[in-house]
Amino acid sequence: MAAKYILDHPADFGLDPIRETAAKIGVSSNVLVRLAHRMGFDGFDALRAPFRGALVTDSEDNLSQSWLADMQDDDTFSAAQSKFAQNAQNVVMRSLRLMNPERVRQAVEIMTSADRCFVTATRASYALSYYFSYAGRMAHPGLQLVPRHMGSASDDLLDANPNDCLIAITVHPYSADTIQSMRLARRMSMPIILIADSEVIAPGIEPNVVFPVSTRSLHHFSSYAGAMVVLECLLGHLFQAGGDAARDRVDEYQKSREDTGAYWRPSKPPRIRRR
């Protein structure tokens, strides 16, 4: 359990003192000392030193692309991995550069002032909309994923009004259902936030805010890495705007999941009684 924590949280392990690390894992400090000795280190500090060193850099240049260059110069498979990784970085960076702070501010104001924020997408984009609504509803309880069932998103928007808003995610080839939902929202005078690979996706679509994202890919389908980081930024702003109430909802959610046994926990080894 201690070793797994170190692997899963290398940055925290590199920064935290031994007692804080032990408390996070749920073990005694002696367990960490014994683990260090078993792995051939003189003690906890020696075990932690490589993780702490990995966090220390003199400048941003030290975090740059040398690892990509190393892969590029290796065998054919490694060179391909280098190209895929570089493309993913480019997609993310371009999408973030296009995320103008004024657009973000306007989008956050729309979401936080709306009674309900309907989130819609189809096919591959659906996973993004599901995650955003799943996490975001703890910051804004009015976030709702549509369609809720086997119908269309338009069915779930029939009782919407100008006090609500619509968040739509789509990339080329654009979803007919998503476009119809945006047209319906516009007729209802609902504010619309669009995340797409273009600011113009179809006639009659006039979002209040557009977040254009890069979807360039080296395989046959669009990359969604750019759209994902845009959603992550929006979530960060929503939780920041939600303040203590949002944090309380997260705590309550986590507690309810733990109480119902939703999260897997490793069984503790039986205690050996000493005679």
Side-chain angles (χ1 to χ4, degrees), residues 18-75:
I18 187 170
R19 289 184 179 178
E20 188 169 343
T21 299
K24 287 181 177 180
I25 301 172
V27 298
S28 69
S29 299
N30 288 335
V31 170
L32 295 173
V33 174
R34 290 198 299 270
L35 176 63
H37 290 157
R38 181 172 295 181
M39 297 181 67
F41 294 93
D42 292 336
F44 175 80
D45 288 338
L47 171 61
R48 186 180 58 173
F51 295 89
R52 176 164 289 191
L55 297 173
V56 178
T57 57
D58 295 329
S59 68
E60 185 66 20
D61 292 341
N62 293 329
L63 297 175
S64 63
Q65 309 299 305
S66 60
W67 58 280
L68 279 175
D70 292 342
M71 282 196 295
Q72 184 67 45
D73 294 337
D74 210 334
D75 58 27

Side-chain angles (χ1 to χ4, degrees), residues 187-242:
R187 291 198 297 272
M188 293 178 163
S189 300
M190 293 170 58
I192 302 171
I193 299 168
L194 172 63
I195 299 165
D197 57 354
S198 174
E199 298 205 38
V200 180
I201 64 171
I205 301 300
E206 300 175 355
N208 296 73
V209 182
V210 182
F211 292 109
V213 297
S214 173
T215 58
R216 183 177 184 271
S217 170
L218 300 182
H219 53 73
H220 299 293
F221 293 89
S222 297
S223 169
Y224 284 86
M228 189 67 202
V229 295
V230 167
L231 291 173
E232 285 290 354
C233 287
L234 291 177
L235 280 175
H237 283 287
L238 276 180
F239 277 105
Q240 190 173 56

Side-chain angles (χ1 to χ4, degrees), residues 89-201:
Q89 281 191 341
N90 293 344
V91 165
V92 166
M93 294 303 295
R94 175 166 174 75
S95 300
L96 290 174
R97 283 199 302 269
L98 293 171
M99 200 176 184
N100 183 284
E102 287 306 314
R103 295 190 186 195
V104 178
R105 183 178 288 109
Q106 185 181 358
V108 173
E109 288 175 354
I110 288 172
M111 288 186 286
T112 54
S113 62
D115 294 335
R116 294 175 295 181
C117 291
F118 297 100
V119 187
T120 190
T122 61
R123 294 186 293 279
S125 303
Y126 180 82
L128 297 174
S129 63
Y130 179 87
Y131 170 72
F132 185 76
S133 62
Y134 177 84
R137 67 190 180 192
M138 284 176 263
H140 187 330
L143 248 67
Q144 297 182 22
L145 179 66
V146 294
R148 299 185 186 94
H149 304 295
M150 294 301 293
S152 68
S154 298
D155 295 338
D156 293 324
L157 295 176
L158 293 178
D159 68 339
N161 60 69
N163 294 322
D164 303 321
C165 74
L166 176 67
I167 303 167
I169 307 168
T170 187
V171 302
H172 189 271
Y174 305 116
S175 164
D177 285 343
T178 303
I179 288 174
Q180 290 169 4
S181 298
M182 286 189 284
R183 285 176 173 160
L184 176 60
R186 177 54 63 212
R187 291 198 297 272
M188 293 178 163
S189 300
M190 293 170 58
I192 302 171
I193 299 168
L194 172 63
I195 299 165
D197 57 354
S198 174
E199 298 205 38
V200 180
I201 64 171

